[in-house]
Amino acid sequence: MTTPTFRSLYVPTTLGRLHVQDAGPADGPVALLWPSVFMDGESSWGAQLSGLHALGWRTLLVDPPGTGRSDSASRLFTMEECGDAAVQTLDVADADRAALLGLSWGGIVALRVALTAPHRVSALVLSNTTARSVVFRERLAVRLNTLLIRSGIVPGGLGRPVVSGMLSEHSRNENPEFTTRLAQVVDALDKAGLARNVRSVLADRSSVVDALGRITAPALVIGGAEDRALPPTPHSTELADRIAGAQLEVVPSVAHLAPREAPTEVAALIRKFLRPLG
């Protein structure tokens, strides 16, 4: 195995220029990791990188628009355009295929790539995510919330309520330092760009439920038993039921950020799933 790489890629995509951390064994199989809304790559998937590198995988960790060192999106966008951006990232990284590890928004993106460019996907890890669109009442509520986000006048800042909704009470009590740091990450985001992300992902996304049967890549579906944003029933169970051969794991005492709330448990699940594929 060659010396691990550690470099930053800046990828021109349909969403703007995205920062991608390229790390791990340069000659290993590739895993592309896309985070949740409100999160940069490190906040969502950082706890899983060393385990993937130890397995021999090269990782492409994406900072979505407006997070980390990526440019903010200048307009609303579709999840299909996000899938295009993931493929453009693989092209720039000179990766023919990759396992796509998606948390929430990232899982929504991974499903699009698996449907539109199946030859680029070696496996799927779908954590705390969904194939569904949202009903009108929820869409309206999100759009109203984006106005508050854009205005920047949320009392006490946006970070605390967002983190409270994404982490379980157990996670907040067990790791108060991470809870505080995560709230700071959210509060530091560009408000206009974040509002576009939230509306595009949480309000305006399309449904791919009826297309899930076309997915042929091996899939691991991870849910959080206390996830209020996307409860495992119906979201995770639907993915596992409709994707042929998919494996479902629901992690206890975890809400919406399973890879960070239960890093050891999730790493073990990923390791068992990916080892035969590597």
PDB file of all heavy atoms in Angstrom, residues 1 25 27-29 51-58:
ATOM      1  N   MET A   1       0.852  -1.200   0.000  1.00  0.00           N
ATOM      2  CA  MET A   1       0.000   0.000   0.000  1.00  0.00           C
ATOM      3  C   MET A   1       0.885   1.246   0.000  1.00  0.00           C
ATOM      4  O   MET A   1       1.863   1.311   0.726  1.00  0.00           O
ATOM      5  CB  MET A   1      -0.924  -0.009   1.216  1.00  0.00           C
ATOM      6  CG  MET A   1      -1.943   1.120   1.227  1.00  0.00           C
ATOM      7  SD  MET A   1      -3.102   0.939   2.592  1.00  0.00           S
ATOM      8  CE  MET A   1      -3.943  -0.564   2.108  1.00  0.00           C
ATOM      9  N   PRO A  25      -5.234   5.903   1.842  1.00  0.00           N
ATOM     10  CA  PRO A  25      -4.346   5.251   0.871  1.00  0.00           C
ATOM     11  C   PRO A  25      -4.677   5.658  -0.559  1.00  0.00           C
ATOM     12  O   PRO A  25      -5.813   5.488  -1.011  1.00  0.00           O
ATOM     13  CB  PRO A  25      -4.603   3.753   1.098  1.00  0.00           C
ATOM     14  CG  PRO A  25      -5.175   3.669   2.487  1.00  0.00           C
ATOM     15  CD  PRO A  25      -5.940   4.927   2.696  1.00  0.00           C
ATOM     16  N   ASP A  27      -4.014   4.365  -3.320  1.00  0.00           N
ATOM     17  CA  ASP A  27      -4.355   3.290  -4.244  1.00  0.00           C
ATOM     18  C   ASP A  27      -5.518   2.445  -3.752  1.00  0.00           C
ATOM     19  O   ASP A  27      -5.800   1.377  -4.298  1.00  0.00           O
ATOM     20  CB  ASP A  27      -3.131   2.391  -4.482  1.00  0.00           C
ATOM     21  CG  ASP A  27      -2.593   1.791  -3.189  1.00  0.00           C
ATOM     22  OD1 ASP A  27      -3.061   2.204  -2.108  1.00  0.00           O
ATOM     23  OD2 ASP A  27      -1.707   0.918  -3.258  1.00  0.00           O
ATOM     24  N   GLY A  28      -6.214   2.892  -2.716  1.00  0.00           N
ATOM     25  CA  GLY A  28      -7.311   2.113  -2.169  1.00  0.00           C
ATOM     26  C   GLY A  28      -8.621   2.345  -2.898  1.00  0.00           C
ATOM     27  O   GLY A  28      -8.753   3.293  -3.684  1.00  0.00           O
ATOM     28  N   PRO A  29      -9.618   1.482  -2.657  1.00  0.00           N
ATOM     29  CA  PRO A  29     -10.966   1.763  -3.160  1.00  0.00           C
ATOM     30  C   PRO A  29     -11.467   3.072  -2.571  1.00  0.00           C
ATOM     31  O   PRO A  29     -11.045   3.473  -1.482  1.00  0.00           O
ATOM     32  CB  PRO A  29     -11.788   0.567  -2.673  1.00  0.00           C
ATOM     33  CG  PRO A  29     -11.036   0.047  -1.486  1.00  0.00           C
ATOM     34  CD  PRO A  29      -9.585   0.293  -1.774  1.00  0.00           C
ATOM     35  N   GLY A  51     -11.118   4.890  10.609  1.00  0.00           N
ATOM     36  CA  GLY A  51     -11.517   3.501  10.425  1.00  0.00           C
ATOM     37  C   GLY A  51     -11.533   3.096   8.970  1.00  0.00           C
ATOM     38  O   GLY A  51     -11.107   1.991   8.604  1.00  0.00           O
ATOM     39  N   LEU A  52     -12.004   3.996   8.100  1.00  0.00           N
ATOM     40  CA  LEU A  52     -11.999   3.714   6.666  1.00  0.00           C
ATOM     41  C   LEU A  52     -10.575   3.615   6.133  1.00  0.00           C
ATOM     42  O   LEU A  52     -10.253   2.732   5.332  1.00  0.00           O
ATOM     43  CB  LEU A  52     -12.779   4.794   5.915  1.00  0.00           C
ATOM     44  CG  LEU A  52     -14.300   4.756   6.093  1.00  0.00           C
ATOM     45  CD1 LEU A  52     -14.926   6.061   5.626  1.00  0.00           C
ATOM     46  CD2 LEU A  52     -14.905   3.580   5.336  1.00  0.00           C
ATOM     47  N   HIS A  53      -9.699   4.499   6.587  1.00  0.00           N
ATOM     48  CA  HIS A  53      -8.307   4.452   6.142  1.00  0.00           C
ATOM     49  C   HIS A  53      -7.639   3.163   6.607  1.00  0.00           C
ATOM     50  O   HIS A  53      -6.856   2.553   5.865  1.00  0.00           O
ATOM     51  CB  HIS A  53      -7.552   5.668   6.667  1.00  0.00           C
ATOM     52  CG  HIS A  53      -8.091   6.965   6.164  1.00  0.00           C
ATOM     53  ND1 HIS A  53      -7.837   8.171   6.778  1.00  0.00           N
ATOM     54  CD2 HIS A  53      -8.877   7.253   5.092  1.00  0.00           C
ATOM     55  CE1 HIS A  53      -8.443   9.142   6.120  1.00  0.00           C
ATOM     56  NE2 HIS A  53      -9.085   8.612   5.096  1.00  0.00           N
ATOM     57  N   ALA A  54      -7.950   2.734   7.826  1.00  0.00           N
ATOM     58  CA  ALA A  54      -7.371   1.490   8.332  1.00  0.00           C
ATOM     59  C   ALA A  54      -7.823   0.286   7.513  1.00  0.00           C
ATOM     60  O   ALA A  54      -7.094  -0.713   7.400  1.00  0.00           O
ATOM     61  CB  ALA A  54      -7.743   1.301   9.803  1.00  0.00           C
ATOM     62  N   LEU A  55      -9.020   0.382   6.951  1.00  0.00           N
ATOM     63  CA  LEU A  55      -9.521  -0.688   6.072  1.00  0.00           C
ATOM     64  C   LEU A  55      -8.887  -0.635   4.688  1.00  0.00           C
ATOM     65  O   LEU A  55      -9.093  -1.542   3.884  1.00  0.00           O
ATOM     66  CB  LEU A  55     -11.041  -0.557   5.903  1.00  0.00           C
ATOM     67  CG  LEU A  55     -11.960  -1.256   6.893  1.00  0.00           C
ATOM     68  CD1 LEU A  55     -13.415  -1.002   6.513  1.00  0.00           C
ATOM     69  CD2 LEU A  55     -11.682  -2.743   6.969  1.00  0.00           C
ATOM     70  N   GLY A  56      -8.161   0.435   4.417  1.00  0.00           N
ATOM     71  CA  GLY A  56      -7.510   0.573   3.120  1.00  0.00           C
ATOM     72  C   GLY A  56      -8.267   1.430   2.130  1.00  0.00           C
ATOM     73  O   GLY A  56      -7.931   1.453   0.945  1.00  0.00           O
ATOM     74  N   TRP A  57      -9.275   2.185   2.599  1.00  0.00           N
ATOM     75  CA  TRP A  57     -10.096   2.995   1.701  1.00  0.00           C
ATOM     76  C   TRP A  57      -9.573   4.420   1.618  1.00  0.00           C
ATOM     77  O   TRP A  57      -9.181   5.017   2.630  1.00  0.00           O
ATOM     78  CB  TRP A  57     -11.551   3.010   2.172  1.00  0.00           C
ATOM     79  CG  TRP A  57     -12.261   1.718   1.909  1.00  0.00           C
ATOM     80  CD1 TRP A  57     -12.054   0.525   2.536  1.00  0.00           C
ATOM     81  CD2 TRP A  57     -13.283   1.481   0.942  1.00  0.00           C
ATOM     82  NE1 TRP A  57     -12.892  -0.436   2.027  1.00  0.00           N
ATOM     83  CE2 TRP A  57     -13.659   0.119   1.046  1.00  0.00           C
ATOM     84  CE3 TRP A  57     -13.926   2.283   0.005  1.00  0.00           C
ATOM     85  CZ2 TRP A  57     -14.633  -0.449   0.246  1.00  0.00           C
ATOM     86  CZ3 TRP A  57     -14.914   1.723  -0.794  1.00  0.00           C
ATOM     87  CH2 TRP A  57     -15.262   0.371  -0.675  1.00  0.00           C
ATOM     88  N   ARG A  58      -9.582   4.953   0.438  1.00  0.00           N
ATOM     89  CA  ARG A  58      -9.334   6.370   0.197  1.00  0.00           C
ATOM     90  C   ARG A  58     -10.657   7.109   0.382  1.00  0.00           C
ATOM     91  O   ARG A  58     -11.700   6.656  -0.098  1.00  0.00           O
ATOM     92  CB  ARG A  58      -8.816   6.568  -1.218  1.00  0.00           C
ATOM     93  CG  ARG A  58      -8.635   8.007  -1.669  1.00  0.00           C
ATOM     94  CD  ARG A  58      -8.326   8.037  -3.159  1.00  0.00           C
ATOM     95  NE  ARG A  58      -8.287   9.390  -3.694  1.00  0.00           N
ATOM     96  CZ  ARG A  58      -8.356   9.686  -4.995  1.00  0.00           C
ATOM     97  NH1 ARG A  58      -8.444   8.697  -5.901  1.00  0.00           N
ATOM     98  NH2 ARG A  58      -8.333  10.939  -5.399  1.00  0.00           N
TER      99      ARG A  58
END
